[in-house]
Amino acid sequence: QVQLVESGGGLVQAGGSLRLSCTASGRTFTTYTMGWFRQAPGKEREFVASIRWSGGRIYYADSVKGRFTISRDNAKNTVFLQMNSLKPEDTAVYYCAATRIPATTPREYEYWGQGTQVTVSS
């Protein structure tokens, strides 16, 4: 079993930055691909970014490419999402998730955190 806990969300003005963290427990954590997703009110949960356990393969949604950076520190069992140049449309609940294979759709992920709210104001 894998338990995921997100932190780092909050309120920020447009153009600002936030860094989200996801801390995992479980002895098999380093074998998993990790992903970040977000969900705004009235919208479907959407893919943001993912990273393989080795860090060798990284994928981003077009909407965040060039602004967000995903990384992981396996020694600390932690995955990060650095968010720069934030826009009001980035406002959503952000979730981290884990899967045994590389994936970019929510249904392919087996474990989920509780989510953290990110609000970007004008």
Side-chain angles (χ1 to χ4, degrees), residues 6 20 33-40 44-50 61 68 70 81 83 90 92-99 103-113 115-116 118:
E6 303 98 330
L20 306 183
T33 289
M34 302 297 299
W36 285 97
F37 295 80
R38 65 187 183 186
Q39 188 167 23
E44 298 294 320
R45 188 168 298 185
E46 66 175 349
F47 170 78
V48 175
S50 67
F68 291 10
I70 188 172
L81 185 68
M83 305 184 294
D90 294 318
V93 176
Y94 283 71
Y95 300 88
C96 66
T99 183
T104 58
T105 62
R107 69 175 181 84
E108 296 176 291
Y109 282 77
E110 301 173 48
Y111 302 97
W112 293 84
T116 185
V118 172

Side-chain angles (χ1 to χ4, degrees), residues 2-83:
V2 176
Q3 182 179 349
L4 307 174
V5 179
E6 303 98 330
S7 63
L11 175 65
V12 64
Q13 292 187 353
S17 298
L18 285 173
R19 189 178 76 159
L20 306 183
S21 299
C22 175
T23 300
S25 61
R27 63 178 179 269
T28 62
F29 167 75
T30 57
T31 69
Y32 282 73
T33 289
M34 302 297 299
W36 285 97
F37 295 80
R38 65 187 183 186
Q39 188 167 23
K43 296 184 178 180
E44 298 294 320
R45 188 168 298 185
E46 66 175 349
F47 170 78
V48 175
S50 67
I51 184 169
R52 198 170 60 170
W53 69 269
S54 67
R57 290 188 177 183
I58 296 174
Y59 299 94
Y60 296 100
D62 288 342
S63 59
V64 306
K65 193 174 298 181
R67 299 189 297 121
F68 291 10
T69 302
I70 188 172
S71 62
R72 68 190 297 168
D73 184 343
N74 290 341
K76 301 293 185 181
N77 291 329
T78 302
V79 179
F80 304 96
L81 185 68
Q82 178 67 45
M83 305 184 294

